[in-house]
């Protein structure tokens, strides 16, 4: 049972990769490919602008991850244990509910030539019309990377907050201070390495995601040429079915790009480790770091502020009437856009909710089965500290490291070969591949942190294993279980590429509808759809925070435990 669940979750990745490798070498009998050939690879290499697309994907993966990780490290070094730390924990937690596409739309509305920033600058600089600047869709992909950083930096910071206690920050920081080190230098030299080891997997997942992102790239990224993943989606959906062979070859290239990003990141880890050791050996204490501490809060503030203000600006646009530049606020507001949007979005909202609740619910059950089986196995063997083995963790988190575009297309080929038609259960099963790893990330540590002595007491009273699970461990882990369920729900809501390819356009969700609007110019409708996309995860997180208080009312001792 310990390996059954991980293998079940990793199987679609393997099937998908096989479904990509064979057509990439010309073998796909359903489309006339009866023999292996290098023609798809040669056709891919002859595509104009391919090198630029590859470099965009490579730079996106590396720069997004580097900026996000560095911003987190500097913020923690400057503000750990302060009021700023506590404020960030409260304000950034809701950002987990914001899908990438909604955050990208919000940022687009802020930085576009007719967006909020230039409206605020219009009067001081005498602007009467939006400046002629290519900001959204710039050739270097800077806006796309900024959108990814705005979403990933708060995510990594929240993950780091959870990992901090295991790095013993108070004792280590005090020791560094007693040796004369400044606050930031002491943290970076003594505490951060331990924190990074704990969050290494989420960091690698961010790198893999950023190197093959599709939805954010469609909203903020360049189009001539686009990042490789975006071009692959276009080839996969082209009416000319012969392009499927070249698309498969491109998927293998995308897999190689992500592998290169991860390899370069691992090399960068070693270089950073050497730099840290040289800094420690140099003897410099960097005691005067007041200015650096102030500056260290800027990246996190910009990232969080971009998402918060972006969502607020989306709402303003969704209720605005005619709104010309450079007016900062709309002269008239109304609910006409919302009325039309809610009428049209009913079907996608229902599909989104059903798929998300199914995939998150099943994912939670599978993860609980896995965690409990692993806990009992370790307890029975040696009484060691319980944690997932590297082999099990590798299988579970494989879908987070392998780029979606590299195997979801192969899954689509497999689905078509089996004669399956798009349906809610099928789409939920595909979403489960991406939902379960995030549920496991959220639930593993709290699940194993429950004091086993409570179950020992229950066992001494004659309760069996299932009774102890449902009457002791699950109630004590209620908050963690509901939070993991909410994270799985939000992960499903944000899935764009699997929904687009496996749903084949027959099962539109609020996410696919919102991203489809990116090519249009109606900001009011875009604002309404982006907010609807955020609404479902926000409600899930609100319920996950509220229900434990209601369920555990009158059980103060359990809450303290």
């Amino acid at each position: 049972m310990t390996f059954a669940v991980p293998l079940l979750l990793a199987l679609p990745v393997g099937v998908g990769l096989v479904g990509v490798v064979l057509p990439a070498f010309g073998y796909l009998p359903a489309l006339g490919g009866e023999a292996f050939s290098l023609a798809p690879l040669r056709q891919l290499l002859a595509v104009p602008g391919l090198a630029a697309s590859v470099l965009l994907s490579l730079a996106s993966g590396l720069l997004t991850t580097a900026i996000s990780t560095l911003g987190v490290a500097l913020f923690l070094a400057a503000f750990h244990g302060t009021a700023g730390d506590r404020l960030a924990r409260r304000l950034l937690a809701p950002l987990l509910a914001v899908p990438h596409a909604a955050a990208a739309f919000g940022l687009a509305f802020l930085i576009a030539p007719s967006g909020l920033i230039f409206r605020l600058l219009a009067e001081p600089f005498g602007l009467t019309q939006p400046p002629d600047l290519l900001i959204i869709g710039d050739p270097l992909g800077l806006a796309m990377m900024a959108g990814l950083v705005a979403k990933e930096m708060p995510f990594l910071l929240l993950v780091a907050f959870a990992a901090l206690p295991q790095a013993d920050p108070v004792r280590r920081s005090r020791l560094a201070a007693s040796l004369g080190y400044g606050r930031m230098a002491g943290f970076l030299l003594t505490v951060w390495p331990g924190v990074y080891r704990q969050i290494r997997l989420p960091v690698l997942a961010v790198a893999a995601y950023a190197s093959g992102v599709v939805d954010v790239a469609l909203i903020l990224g360049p189009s001539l040429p686009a990042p490789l993943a975006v071009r692959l989606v276009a080839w996969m959906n082209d009416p000319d079915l012969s392009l499927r062979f070249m698309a498969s070859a491109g998927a293998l290239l995308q897999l190689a790009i992500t592998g290169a990003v991860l390899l370069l990141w691992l090399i960068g880890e070693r270089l950073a480790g050497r730099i840290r050791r040289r800094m420690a050996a140099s003897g410099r204490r960097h005691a005067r770091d007041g200015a650096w501490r102030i500056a260290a809060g800027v990246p996190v503030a910009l990232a969080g502020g971009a998402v918060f203000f972006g969502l607020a600006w989306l709402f303003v646009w969704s209720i605005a009437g005619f709104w010309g530049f450079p007016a900062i606020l709309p002269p008239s507001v109304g609910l006409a856009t919302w009325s039309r949007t809610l009428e049209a979005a009913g079907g996608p909202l229902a599909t989104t909710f059903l798929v998300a609740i199914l995939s998150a619910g099943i994912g939670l059950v599978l993860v609980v089965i896995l965690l409990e089986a692993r806990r009992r196995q370790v307890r029975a063997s040696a009484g060691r500290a319980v944690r997932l083995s590297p082999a099990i963790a590798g299988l579970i988190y494989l879908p987070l490291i392998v780029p979606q575009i590299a195997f979801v297309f192969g899954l689509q080929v497999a689905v078509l070969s089996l004669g399956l038609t798009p349906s809610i259960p099928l789409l939920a099963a595909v979403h489960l591949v991406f939902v379960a790893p995030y549920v496991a990330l959220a639930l593993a540590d709290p699940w194993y942190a429950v004091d086993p002595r409570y179950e020992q007491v229950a066992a001494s009273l004659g309760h069996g294993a299932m009774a102890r699970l449902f009457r002791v461990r699950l109630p004590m882990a209620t908050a963690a279980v509901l939070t993991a369920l909410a994270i799985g729900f939000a992960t499903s809501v944000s899935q764009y590429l699997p929904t687009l390819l496996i749903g084949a356009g027959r099962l539109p969700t609020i996410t696919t509808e919102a991203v489809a609007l990116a090519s249009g110019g109606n900001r009011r409708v875009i604002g309404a759809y982006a907010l609807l996309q955020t609404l479902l995860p926000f409600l899930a997180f609100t319920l996950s925070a509220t229900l434990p208080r209601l369920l555990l009312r009158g059980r103060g001792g359990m809450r303290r435990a």
Side-chain angles (χ1 to χ4, degrees):
M1 182 60 70
T2 304
F3 275 94
V5 173
L7 288 173
L8 177 65
L9 297 175
L11 180 62
V13 180
V15 172
L17 289 176
V18 172
V20 162
V21 171
L22 294 179
F25 290 96
Y27 186 80
L28 187 58
L31 295 181
E34 301 288 349
F36 288 97
S37 167
L38 295 179
L41 294 173
R42 289 193 292 267
Q43 185 182 5
L44 173 68
L45 295 177
V47 171
L50 180 66
S53 296
V54 169
L55 289 176
L56 271 172
S57 300
L58 192 68
S60 177
L62 289 173
L63 291 179
T64 296
T65 312
I67 294 172
S68 300
T69 307
L70 181 61
V72 168
L74 293 177
F75 181 87
L76 291 177
F79 295 100
H80 169 63
T82 66
D85 179 304
R86 294 187 291 272
L87 181 64
R89 290 174 188 261
R90 288 195 296 268
L91 293 181
L92 296 182
L95 297 187
L96 286 176
V98 182
H100 283 82
F105 277 123
L107 181 64
F109 281 22
L110 291 179
I111 66 176
S114 58
L116 174 60
I117 294 177
F118 284 100
R119 288 174 185 268
L120 293 174
L121 296 175
E123 185 173 349
F125 288 90
L127 300 176
T128 58
Q129 60 184 11
D132 186 16
L133 297 174
L134 183 59
I135 298 176
I136 306 301
D138 65 285
L140 296 178
L142 298 180
M144 175 184 69
M145 292 182 224
L148 289 168
V149 169
K151 187 67 174 70
E152 302 298 358
M153 189 181 294
F155 164 70
L156 289 180
L157 184 59
L158 292 170
V159 173
F161 282 148
L164 261 175
Q166 302 176 54
D168 196 8
V170 176
R171 187 179 63 85
R172 291 175 181 270
S173 295
R174 287 176 179 172
L175 179 60
S178 70
L179 296 174
Y181 283 94
R183 180 185 183 90
M184 293 187 66
F187 184 95
L188 293 174
L189 292 175
T190 63
V191 181
W192 175 248
V195 174
Y196 182 78
R197 282 193 293 270
Q198 298 293 326
I199 69 169
R200 191 184 195 191
L201 180 61
V203 169
L204 294 178
V206 167
Y209 176 81
S211 68
V213 66
V214 175
D215 50 357
V216 176
L218 285 170
I219 298 167
L220 294 172
S223 56
L224 292 174
L228 181 61
V230 175
R231 301 184 75 175
L232 292 179
V233 173
W235 296 337
M236 291 172 182
N237 291 323
D238 196 286
D240 183 0
L241 297 180
S242 64
L243 291 180
R244 298 294 181 95
F245 293 97
M246 185 177 70
S248 297
L252 288 186
L253 178 59
Q254 179 63 61
L255 183 63
I257 292 171
T258 300
V261 167
L262 297 179
L263 178 61
L264 290 172
W265 183 261
L266 295 177
I267 295 173
E269 286 182 358
R270 293 182 175 273
L271 293 177
R274 290 183 180 180
I275 293 173
R276 182 183 64 83
R277 288 189 291 272
R278 287 187 179 181
M279 289 179 60
S282 70
R284 298 183 62 184
R285 299 309 200 247
H286 303 281
R288 297 182 179 180
D289 58 3
W292 285 102
R293 288 171 61 184
I294 295 174
V298 173
V300 171
L302 286 177
V307 178
F308 277 120
F309 284 106
L311 291 177
W313 211 236
L314 287 172
F315 174 73
V316 174
W317 266 105
S318 71
I319 61 173
F322 176 77
W323 189 4
F325 187 91
I328 296 177
L329 294 175
S332 63
V333 297
L335 298 177
T337 300
W338 277 101
S339 177
R340 294 193 300 270
T341 300
L342 289 174
E343 183 179 351
L349 272 175
T351 300
T352 303
F353 176 80
L354 288 174
V355 171
I357 198 65
L358 277 174
S359 58
I362 297 171
L364 179 63
V365 171
L366 291 177
V367 168
V368 167
I369 292 173
L370 167 66
L371 296 179
E372 187 65 6
R374 176 64 179 170
R375 185 182 69 87
R376 296 181 182 182
Q377 179 190 54
V378 172
R379 184 189 62 186
S381 61
R384 296 176 282 112
V386 185
R387 62 178 57 187
L388 295 177
S389 68
I392 295 175
L395 289 173
I396 293 176
Y397 302 133
L398 187 64
L400 304 185
I401 302 301
V402 178
Q404 290 185 355
I405 196 71
F407 72 91
V408 174
F409 175 55
L411 278 181
Q412 184 191 42
V413 172
V415 166
L416 294 175
S417 300
L418 294 173
L420 301 176
T421 57
S423 64
I424 296 291
L426 176 62
L427 193 56
V430 175
H431 279 206
L432 177 64
V433 177
F434 307 99
V435 166
Y438 283 102
V439 173
L441 273 174
L443 189 56
D445 288 340
W447 187 264
Y448 293 143
V450 174
D451 194 331
R453 290 177 295 179
Y454 289 101
E455 290 179 281
Q456 291 171 6
V457 172
S460 69
L461 296 175
H463 293 288
M466 296 302 293
R468 297 197 300 271
L469 173 64
F470 285 98
R471 300 183 65 179
V472 178
R473 182 166 289 269
L474 279 173
M476 295 191 70
T478 296
V481 168
L482 291 177
T483 299
L485 182 64
I487 290 174
F489 186 93
T491 301
S492 175
V493 170
S494 66
Q495 293 303 310
Y496 171 73
L497 188 62
T499 306
L500 181 71
L501 294 182
I502 303 301
R506 304 181 195 178
L507 295 172
T509 64
I510 199 67
T511 298
T512 58
E513 293 294 280
V515 175
L517 293 169
S519 59
N522 194 329
R523 294 190 177 186
R524 297 164 185 82
V525 177
I526 290 174
Y529 267 89
L531 288 173
L532 284 177
Q533 188 194 15
T534 305
L535 177 63
L536 289 177
F538 179 78
L539 291 176
F541 278 101
T542 301
L543 287 174
S544 72
T546 305
L547 284 178
R549 298 191 184 98
L550 299 176
L551 294 174
L552 302 180
R553 181 176 295 175
R555 302 180 183 179
M558 180 174 286
R559 285 198 298 271
R560 287 192 297 272

